[in-house]
Amino acid sequence: MTSIGTGYDLSNSVFSPDGRNFQVEYAVKAVENGGTSIGIRTKHGVVLACEKIISSKLLKPGANLRISTVDRHAGVVTSGLLPDGRHLISRARDEASSWRQTYKGPIPVHALASRMGGYVQAYTLYSSVRPFGVTAILGGWDSEAELGVDGQVGFGPSVGAGGKLEDEVVKRGGPGLYMIEPSGLYWGYYGAATGKGRQAAKAELEKLDLASPTCSLSLKDAVMEAARIIYVAHEDSKDKEFELEMTWISTLDGPTKGQHQQVPQELLEEAEKAAKKSLEGDDDEEEEEEEGDAMQE
Amino acid sequence: MNHYPQAWGRPRDDVYGPYDNSYFQASAPQTHTQSPAVTGTSVLGVKFKDGVVIAADNLASYGSLARFTDVKRLRTFPPNTVIGFGGDVSDMQYLDRLLQSLDIRENYLSSYGHVLNAKNLHTYLSKVLYKRRSDFNPLWNMLLVAGLDDDDKPFLASADLLGTTFSSPTLATGFGAHLAQPLLRKLMPHDEDSVKDVTKEMAVEAIKACMKVLFYRDARSLDKYSIAVVTKDGVELKEDQKLEDQSWAFADQIRGYGTQVN
Amino acid sequence: MFRNNYDNDSVTFSPQGRIFQVEYAQEAVKQGSVVVGVVSKKHVVLTAVKRNAEELSSYQKKIVGVDDHLGVALAGLASDARVLSNFMKQQSLSSKMTYGRPIPVERIVNMIGDRAQSNTQHYGKRPYGVGLLVAGVDDLGPHLFEFSPSGLTQEMLACAIGARSQMARTYLERHLEEFADSSRDELIKHALLALKESLAQDKELTVDNTSLAIIGVGEKNGRKKLENFKLYDGQDIAPLLEANVESTLADDADGEAMETDL
C-alpha cells in the first residue's frame, strides 16, 4: 500500500530506504489470498486443519491432500502458492531424513522448524531466486518414550553398570507447533492461523485460551474446535465451496500413537456436523440481535 | 545459472551431478570391508498354505564368543513382511535403517493403498546387495524375505552377500542350509504343490524341531529365538521363545573325546 | 495484455503477490489444441484434437505413452512436454527395475510438479509452457491428474485443457455423475463427445485430427490385470469415431476418410 513501485521492489534481496525487502512483502500477499490453515497445540497432541477451496467441480473429492507428513511424527500444512509449499515440504523431508542418518533418531520438532526457517530465509538473500509464496504451519510430537537408536538390536544389560535406572524422572517429549513465514521468521505457537481467513481464525483461537496452564482442551475437543474455526474462517470466502481436511498427532498412548495421521472419517464427519450446527446457531443469534445494526463482517 | 567467470564452462550440476570432491583429497582411507565382525547365524523359513513362518535365534557372536544374547534378527516391514538376517550385524542394522527410510518415504504418498510387498522388497534388497558386491564392499549378510506377493500368495526368497537370490517353499541360511533344509524339505515332497497341504501348525512344529537340532549341532547358536508367522492378516511376531524338550541326558555318559572310554 | 515492470522473469512477485511469467506460461497452454481426460472406476481415457502446421505436414502428436500403465496428453509447447515425458519414462523404468513394480501415479506426478516449480523459483530458467493430463493405473485404480506450468498438480475426475476447453469442461461437469460407473465404451463415448464440444464452428473429428488412448484394470482368473496403455490413431480410431461421434454426413457410405482443413 505504501511506497509500491519505487524501484526497490523489482528484485529480491534489495533493501528499500526504509529497510524493507519488498519482494518478501509481495510474497506475503500471495499467502493472504490462499485458503485458510490453522494449527492447535494441546497437552495431548496437535491438530492441523485446512480449508481447501474447490476451484473446479471436476476435482476428485478426498484426493489432493494439502497436509503432508514429514518423517512419521510431524505434519506440515501450507497456505499460498501450493507448488512452493510442496517444494518446502520436500526440503523438510530431506532435512528429517538427513537428521535420521546422522543421529539415528527422529528429528525434534523445534530442530525441524529451525531448518525450515533457515531454508526459507535463504531464499530472501539472493536476487537469482524469489521468496517462497507460502506460510507453513508445522505440527509435531516429540516422543516421550526413551528413544533408542535406529536399528538397534538389543537393549543392553538389565542390571549392573550399563543397566537402566527405573526411577529416572526425565520429562521427555511433547507437542510442537510452529509457523514459518515467507521471510523465514518463525515462532512457536499454541494456536496458529494463516491464509485468507486468518483474522477470524485468530480471534476464535484466542477465545480458546490455549496458552493458559489451566487449559484442559482434550485432543478430540481440539479436533471439533478446529473444524468449527475453519467454518468460521470460511465466511470470508462464502461464495466458494470448500473441503475440510484435518490431521492430528497424539501422545504415544493416544489415538495416533505419536504418528501424524489423517483424522478418521467418522470423527471428521462428526466435527463438520457440529461445526455447521454451531454456525447456524450463530446466524440465528445474529439475526435476532440486529435491528438495523450493521453486520459485523 | 551462475554467470560468474569461475563457473564459465562448468558443466551443469543438475545434468552431470555435483563435483565429486573426494578426488581432491590425496589420502582418503579405503573403507571396503571384506570380513564380518559380529555375526548372526541361521535363519529358517517355511511356506504354508496361508503364509510363511520364519525364525532366527537371538544370538550375535563375536567370533567364538557368544557376545550379545538379546539380538532380534527378524525385522518387520509394514504391513506384512518379515526379513530375517544372518551374517554381519552392523550390515543388518544398515539395511534395517535403509528399509525404514523406504517405509517413511512410502507413507508420503497420500493414500493408504500403495504397498511395498515382500516381493518388491526382495527385488530392492537383492539389487542393493549386488551393487555393493560389485563395488567390492559387500554387505555381509544372507537374508530371507518372508511375506506375500502381488497376488497375496505366500512368498519366501533369499538374497545373499553376492547378490544371489533363491526362492523355494523352504529356505535356510548359514548352518541351517545344511542341517535344517533336509528336515524342512520333508514337509514338501512335491515342492510348490505341497505348500497348500501344509498347515500353520505343521510349519511351526517343523521350524521348532529344526531350531532344536541347530542348537545341538551349531556351535554358534543359542536356545532363545524369535519366530514370526506372516499371513495376509499381518505379522504375529514372538520374540524370546525358549527351546523346549531339549535332550541332554546322554551328556553324563561322555568320557573325553571320541573313543575314550574312561 | 499485461505489460508491466514485474513480468520480466519468474523470480519477481508483483505487488499483488502474482508471478506474471507463470501466468504467461499458462497462456501458452491455452493456445494449444484441446485435450480431454475422463476416469471411471476401471478405466481412464485421454483424447485429443491434433493440429497440422500446413495442409501437407503431419499432425502434432498429442498423446504419449510413458509406460504400460501411464500416458500423458499435452497442450502447449510440445518440446517442453517431450522433456517432461522423457523424464517420466526414465523414472518409471527405474522404479520397475528397483522394486519390480510400476511407479505409483501420484509419485511420478509429484516429481514433475516439483521440477516445474523449481523453474518458477530460480533465475535463468523459464516455466514449462505446457499443460499435461497424466493418466495412469496403479494399486489404487485408475487416476487422472492435471499438471500446469506453475507446478500445481491436482487429481481430477475429468478434465479438459487447451483452446476452447471451457466447452468441454461444461460437458464434463454436466455428466460428472455418470463417469464413475461407465463401461469402457461409454467412457470413450463421453471423452469424444466432450472433445467435440470444443471444436471450432466448421471443424469435425476425423481420423487424421483425433487421437485417443485408454488404460484400465481388468480381471483375469480372479486376479487384477492391467489393460495396457493403448493409443488409437489414424485408421485405428475410425471405428471409435463412427460408433460415437455423429457426423453431419451420417449417411455417407465412406464416412471414414474425411477431408480436413484448418
Side-chain angles (χ1 to χ4, degrees), chain C residues 69-83:
Chain C
H69 72 298
L70 260 187
V72 300
L74 62 107
L77 292 171
S79 33
D80 284 1
R82 190 177 130 79
V83 166

Side-chain angles (χ1 to χ4, degrees), chain A residues 71-72 100, chain B residues 99-108:
Chain A
D71 203 283
R72 293 199 179 111
R100 238 184 218 274
Chain B
L99 290 171
Q100 219 194 83
S101 68
L102 207 61
D103 178 46
I104 290 176
R105 208 169 68 107
E106 277 301 293
N107 281 336
Y108 288 158

